[in-house]
Amino acid sequence: LHLLGPGWYPLSPQFPLGDRFVLTFDLGVDPETAVASGALDDRGRWVQRNRSYVGAIAVGPYRRFEARGHEAYVPPGAGIAPDLVFSTIERAIEVLEPLLGPSPYRSIKAVAIADGTPAAIGPQATMLLPVPIWELDELTARVVAHELAHQWFFNTIAISEDDDAWLSEAFAEYAATVVSRARTGDDAH
């Protein structure tokens, strides 16, 4: 897993989180070997069409699954059923769109990371989820909703200073709480 941020391309030293770039990844391999944030174009390149602060490349091998317009990339032998992640993404979008507006991306990629990475991250049109998250109990469904919310907050709306990064996390956590309440019917959040 490679997260692309400061050091991979030039950023303003004053407001690095406010800098935005259009990123194109020409990995030169098929999508079952490597996957990057953004969308695959007709030339086989991963392109982040909206400006973004962070990008990601995950190198496989991966098995690619597609359902409901979304994609999942899973290491062979990981024993992961992507249907649970697909349904969680769809349900979260259904709950969040009336609150936040249309999803910024028609298709979301979920990538299973098996390298011991302890945290999930949601770069543009993508969610990088450690393998244990794919087991999807209520807590991990919240993680999926949180990372999905970053498609609206942080990947689309820039913050201007490092001290404001909490805003992106706070809005994403609020969105995850709204989705959790819709899933469980529990108002004790």
Side-chain angles (χ1 to χ4, degrees):
L1 168 66
H2 301 283
L3 295 178
L4 309 179
W8 281 85
Y9 39 80
L11 294 173
S12 163
Q14 290 83 18
F15 303 112
L17 295 179
D19 287 349
R20 300 294 172 159
F21 298 90
V22 176
L23 302 173
T24 301
F25 305 107
D26 190 350
L27 302 179
V29 295
D30 67 65
E32 293 188 7
T33 304
V35 60
S37 50
L40 197 59
D41 72 7
D42 58 357
R43 294 175 49 198
R45 300 174 308 170
W46 296 97
V47 180
Q48 290 193 183
R49 299 201 186 281
N50 295 330
R51 294 184 176 136
S52 182
Y53 163 73
V54 66
I57 298 171
V59 178
Y62 287 102
R63 291 183 333 197
R64 182 180 175 274
F65 298 88
E66 189 172 359
R68 302 178 180 147
H70 306 294
E71 301 168 45
Y73 295 83
V74 177
I80 291 173
D83 291 341
L84 292 171
V85 169
F86 287 140
S87 63
T88 302
I89 290 169
E90 275 301 302
R91 180 66 178 132
I93 289 173
E94 287 172 10
V95 171
L96 294 177
E97 280 188 330
L99 181 67
L100 305 176
S103 175
Y105 308 101
R106 288 186 308 241
S107 177
I108 299 293
K109 290 187 303 298
V111 182
I113 304 300
D115 68 355
T117 300
I121 188 167
Q124 198 172 89
T126 308
M127 291 187 296
L128 304 169
L129 306 169
V131 168
I133 287 177
W134 291 70
E135 295 168 6
L136 281 181
D137 57 19
E138 185 54 37
L139 175 62
T140 56
R142 284 182 61 97
V143 172
V144 170
H146 176 104
E147 296 308 327
L148 183 65
H150 279 304
Q151 304 309 314
W152 283 274
F153 302 106
F154 191 71
N155 290 331
T156 303
I157 300 171
I159 55 177
S160 62
E161 297 185 28
D162 291 342
D163 290 343
D164 295 334
W166 71 271
L167 288 167
S168 172
E169 294 303 322
F171 285 123
E173 192 55 27
Y174 170 73
T177 299
V178 169
V179 171
S180 178
R181 186 176 338 154
R183 282 176 49 91
T184 65
D186 184 1
D187 283 333
H189 287 87

